[in-house]
Amino acid sequence: MNRYQKIVLAGAFANAVVLMLFPPFDVETLMRAAPVFDAFYPLFSAPPHRTINGNLLYLSLFAVVGNAGIAWLALLGGREGRPRITPRNLVMVLGFLNLLAVFLFPPYEAVPIGRLGGGTFDGFAFVLAESARRRIFVPLLYIEVLYVLINACAFWLALGERSARSAIDASIQELISEKEATEAEIEERVRRGVEERIAAEAKAAGRAAAQRNKT
């Protein structure tokens, strides 16, 4: 497991903790037999007559786990232990896909019959198959979009800082390697020059000695 995968798992755990600490709650009203969605409240300080909306909470946790699983697999180490896809590019792709899913399957509320009562959360549905008796539940849609954007920015910063440091370290290491290679090459050339000069002087001395012996 590389450090990018560890960041993804830590972020997914943080998201799950936030969702568990601020779950969606339903409220029981006298006008309706079944509880209806109310809002998100702190887990230990919710108003009275509220119950956790388990379906919406499970769906949110499933989205967190799904995104974390895709990111974890995409960031598996390839050659030299580096991810096959750039972490920041992965964040942008997943952020775009999440926003696309949010707008294609927005939350809806049931339109009340007559003027009594207000609209109630009625689940998620395909945007092109909306019914005349339902309309988009705008507050929950805003929360979804904001949550996706905050997560995308947080992961983009967390993963990008690591990649930038790695790139800088790699550049410095490359410069050092080039410098060492250049110094080694210069030393080798100097050594060869000295050896050639010594060999040439030895040959000249041998020739001079040979001429003296002839004379």
Side-chain angles (χ1 to χ4, degrees), residues 5 13 28 36 41 47 61 63 65 68 70 73 78 103-105 107 115 129 133 150 154-155 160 164 172 181 185 195:
Q5 291 175 314
F13 178 76
E28 299 178 358
V36 295
Y41 294 107
L61 292 175
V65 173
I70 294 174
L73 292 175
F103 286 111
L104 286 179
F105 298 91
R115 296 184 178 181
R133 298 184 58 182
I150 290 175
F155 278 106
I172 294 175
E185 185 178 356
E195 291 178 352

Side-chain angles (χ1 to χ4, degrees), residues 130-142:
E130 60 177 319
S131 172
R133 298 184 58 182
R134 294 189 303 174
R135 60 191 177 194
I136 294 178
F137 193 27
V138 178
L140 186 55
L141 180 63
Y142 283 160

Side-chain angles (χ1 to χ4, degrees), residues 77-213:
R79 295 180 178 178
E80 300 179 357
R82 297 180 179 179
R84 298 182 178 88
I85 182 172
T86 305
R88 279 190 168 179
N89 292 341
L90 176 63
V91 171
M92 289 188 290
V93 170
L94 287 179
F96 173 78
L97 293 178
N98 277 271
L99 287 177
L100 184 63
V102 167
F103 286 111
L104 286 179
F105 298 91
Y108 281 91
E109 60 178 347
V111 178
I113 300 175
R115 296 184 178 181
L116 297 177
T120 58
F121 177 62
D122 195 36
F124 300 88
F126 186 51
V127 67
L128 299 179
E130 60 177 319
S131 172
R133 298 184 58 182
R134 294 189 303 174
R135 60 191 177 194
I136 294 178
F137 193 27
V138 178
L140 186 55
L141 180 63
Y142 283 160
I143 293 175
E144 288 184 299
V145 173
L146 184 62
Y147 198 80
V148 170
L149 293 178
I150 290 175
N151 270 276
C153 292
F155 278 106
W156 193 84
L157 291 174
L159 295 175
E161 183 180 1
R162 295 283 188 175
S163 60
R165 288 181 181 177
S166 299
I168 293 173
D169 293 341
S171 300
I172 294 175
Q173 185 64 33
E174 184 177 357
L175 291 175
I176 293 174
S177 300
E178 291 179 356
K179 182 179 179 180
E180 291 177 350
T182 302
E183 292 178 352
E185 185 178 356
I186 292 174
E187 291 178 356
E188 180 66 20
R189 290 180 179 179
V190 171
R191 185 182 63 79
R192 290 181 181 178
V194 171
E195 291 178 352
E196 290 176 357
R197 184 176 179 179
I198 293 174
E201 290 178 354
K203 289 182 180 180
R207 290 175 183 175
Q211 288 179 357
R212 284 197 297 270
N213 292 332

Side-chain angles (χ1 to χ4, degrees), residues 6-20 61 64 68 155:
K6 293 179 181 178
I7 292 175
V8 168
L9 293 182
F13 178 76
N15 275 280
V17 170
V18 170
L19 292 175
M20 296 296 292
L61 292 175
V64 170
F155 278 106

Side-chain angles (χ1 to χ4, degrees), residues 45-59:
S45 60
H49 306 293
R50 264 66 173 183
T51 56
I52 295 178
N53 188 325
N55 293 330
L56 186 56
L57 178 60
Y58 294 153
L59 183 61

